[in-house]
Amino acid sequence: MPPEDPAVRAEAVLSAFERHANPGQARVFRFMGLVNFEAEAHGAWVRDVAGQEYLDCASGYGVMGPGYGHPAVVAAVQEQLTKQAMSSRVLLSEPTARLAERLAGLAPGDLEYCFFCNSGAEAVEGALKFARVTTGRPGFVAALGAFHGKTFGALSVSGRDVYRRPFEPLLPGVTHVPFGDAAALDRAVGPGTAAVILEPIQGEGGVILPPDGYLAAAREICDRAGALLILDEVQTGMGRTGRLFACEHWGVVPDLMCLAKALGGGVMPIGAVVGTERAFSFFAAAPLLHTSTFGGNPLACAAALATLEVMEREDLPGQAARKGARLLGRLADLAARYPRTVREVRGKGLMIGLEMTREGAGGALMASLLARRVLAVHTLNNERVIRVMPPLVITDAELDRATAAFTDALAEVDAVVEEL
Ligand code: PLP
């Protein structure tokens, strides 16, 4: 049989997706001219079926810490695959226990126990349940603009109406307060609060950094009220912000920390709740009170173990800090050149957001970058902010290339910004 023409194959794939998966999203792909599906990816590059290469500054929403297909992570998964992919669930699995031990060793303070699951939202669900069972209290305090995932519990503590309203009623007893306002947090936390849940830096909210002292104040407020502090490091964790965990920038240790995304090194999906002895003590009496069939499976744990090794060996947090400072400086120079178009550039490490002066400018910048073969995408809870989150292994030459694309794309958008 002759090989299928890539263009024919591309149209067949898009129309299959349109007819049987998500017609609305397929329309967006067509509108953006993204008619070719991704076929291969290595390091910081994604190649589509037509052979077009894109420099990825989105990293699958922060998944590709060590880059696409890091050889050490792939090798670890391949080796595990030949031995045992999934667990019997009756016998103990070595990679699960080894990963728990390793993560407990790396996590700050007295975070010593791990529960493994398969995604960020699931990690948040687990943390919310652990907080309730530990404190015997029903309530949660979360931040406006927060994003914690789209399952019911995670959505209930997320802070954007457009995703919440169609699914109401959500979990009762959730109060939202402005992110960064310690006095508002203090007023909202009370004797019925099981936990405060915060992202150390809001990701989908538009890369919002906390004022210095905010996370420490949150810790103190929780301690005073007998509530737990949950830090959602699903996006900020695993070196992205220049430290292995973002809470380390402010020296704050939560009771429960949620991880996912880059924990699997961009090769396997895995999530984790990492917590104190107290927050995990309910397992002593009821080991099956919270479970997941696939959570902690050998393949995902092998990927996470290899990822943690790569993080350390290649000092990916240090690389993120160094490269991020350079990129932030360059983007800030560009922002100063185009004040009509860019309101602000902010971030930490390689978690950077470009806030545009209007929503249309965000879309236009994305399209202009795409035309220059650079992938970047807006944040979910704030379409005016384009995130710049390349794999942490991106080289200096690739960063130069990304900066050049941003320079040209911003000039292009600025020329028409009044019409957007
Ligand atoms: N928490 C944070 C901070 C996130 O950024 C995300 C996803 O973007 C989630 C939770 C949900 O993760 P997942 O999409 O893996 O469920």
Side-chain angles (χ1 to χ4, degrees):
M1 219 169 66
E4 205 178 349
D5 177 340
V8 173
R9 207 167 135 213
E11 178 50 35
V13 168
L14 184 52
S15 83
F17 185 79
E18 193 162 29
R19 281 181 287 116
H20 302 292
N22 190 328
Q25 201 180 2
R27 267 198 304 279
V28 174
F29 283 133
R30 285 196 195 279
F31 177 74
M32 299 286 288
L34 295 170
V35 292
N36 292 307
F37 59 87
E38 56 192 4
E40 222 177 286
H42 303 282
W45 292 89
V46 181
R47 187 184 316 142
D48 71 18
V49 67
Q52 199 66 251
E53 298 214 310
Y54 296 85
L55 181 56
D56 188 357
C57 288
S59 294
Y61 302 141
V63 169
M64 255 51 77
Y68 286 93
H70 191 290
V73 183
V74 170
V77 170
Q78 277 171 337
E79 192 194 331
Q80 186 61 45
L81 188 58
T82 60
K83 291 193 284 194
Q84 182 180 7
M86 294 295 130
S87 165
S88 70
R89 286 289 167 192
V90 179
L91 303 182
L92 180 60
S93 169
E94 181 177 10
T96 316
R98 296 257 183 232
L99 177 60
E101 182 181 42
R102 186 92 179 91
L103 259 183
L106 291 167
D110 55 351
L111 298 177
E112 285 171 36
Y113 287 82
C114 301
F115 172 84
F116 296 114
C117 51
N118 310 286
S119 69
E122 246 187 282
V124 170
E125 295 293 334
L128 296 175
K129 286 180 70 185
F130 294 9
R132 269 200 175 171
V133 76
T134 300
T135 61
R137 299 171 174 190
F140 296 101
V141 181
L144 290 166
F147 188 86
H148 297 292
K150 287 180 178 162
T151 53
F152 266 106
L155 185 62
S156 302
V157 288
S158 291
R160 192 184 182 196
D161 274 352
V162 68
Y163 294 126
R164 296 164 52 88
R165 201 156 286 145
F167 302 101
E168 287 174 346
L170 298 173
L171 204 59
V174 178
T175 308
H176 282 92
V177 293
F179 183 70
D181 183 342
L185 187 65
D186 199 12
R187 284 193 298 276
V189 173
T193 307
V196 169
I197 180 165
L198 296 169
E199 296 157 87
I201 299 170
Q202 285 195 330
E204 302 304 326
V207 189
I208 314 282
L209 284 107
D212 276 336
Y214 177 64
L215 294 178
R219 176 71 277 176
E220 195 269 319
I221 290 165
C222 288
D223 288 344
R224 200 160 13 92
L228 302 193
L229 177 63
I230 302 170
L231 287 182
D232 179 348
E233 294 250 16
V234 165
Q235 189 159 157
T236 52
M238 303 303 292
R240 171 61 53 190
T241 70
R243 303 291 291 260
L244 191 56
F245 306 108
C247 61
E248 296 175 81
H249 289 292
W250 295 280
V252 172
V253 181
D255 300 281
L256 291 159
M257 179 166 76
C258 304
L259 299 173
K261 292 199 190 275
L263 180 59
V267 174
M268 289 296 297
I270 178 169
V273 185
V274 188
T276 60
E277 186 176 358
R278 177 177 172 231
F280 272 64
S281 59
F282 71 92
F283 274 128
L288 303 182
L289 196 61
H290 189 71
T291 54
S292 158
T293 299
F294 289 126
N297 70 72
L299 266 191
C301 290
L305 273 165
T307 302
L308 288 169
E309 249 178 69
V310 168
M311 288 272 151
E312 196 163 39
R313 195 170 57 238
E314 299 183 16
D315 185 23
L316 293 188
Q319 289 200 45
R322 181 181 63 76
K323 294 170 187 171
R326 189 160 156 247
L327 184 59
L328 189 70
R330 289 174 165 199
L331 292 174
D333 288 347
L334 281 178
R337 213 187 294 169
Y338 300 115
R340 277 194 314 180
T341 302
V342 187
R343 176 166 294 150
E344 193 186 26
V345 175
R346 53 181 179 259
K348 221 169 181 48
L350 280 172
M351 183 172 182
I352 296 174
L354 248 91
E355 181 167 343
M356 312 300 279
T357 49
R358 55 186 84 188
E359 205 173 297
L365 179 61
M366 238 173 99
S368 185
L369 286 167
L370 259 180
R372 291 170 172 79
R373 307 290 173 229
V374 169
L375 302 182
V377 67
H378 61 75
T379 55
L380 265 181
N381 285 353
N382 188 348
E383 280 89 357
R384 268 212 319 255
V385 176
I386 298 294
R387 77 183 91 205
V388 192
M389 292 180 59
L392 310 183
V393 294
I394 191 168
T395 64
D396 288 339
E398 287 162 346
L399 272 180
D400 289 345
R401 192 157 165 169
T403 312
F406 271 95
T407 307
D408 295 345
L410 278 173
E412 189 173 275
V413 175
D414 191 67
V416 295
V417 72
E418 305 293 352
E419 291 143 46
L420 296 171

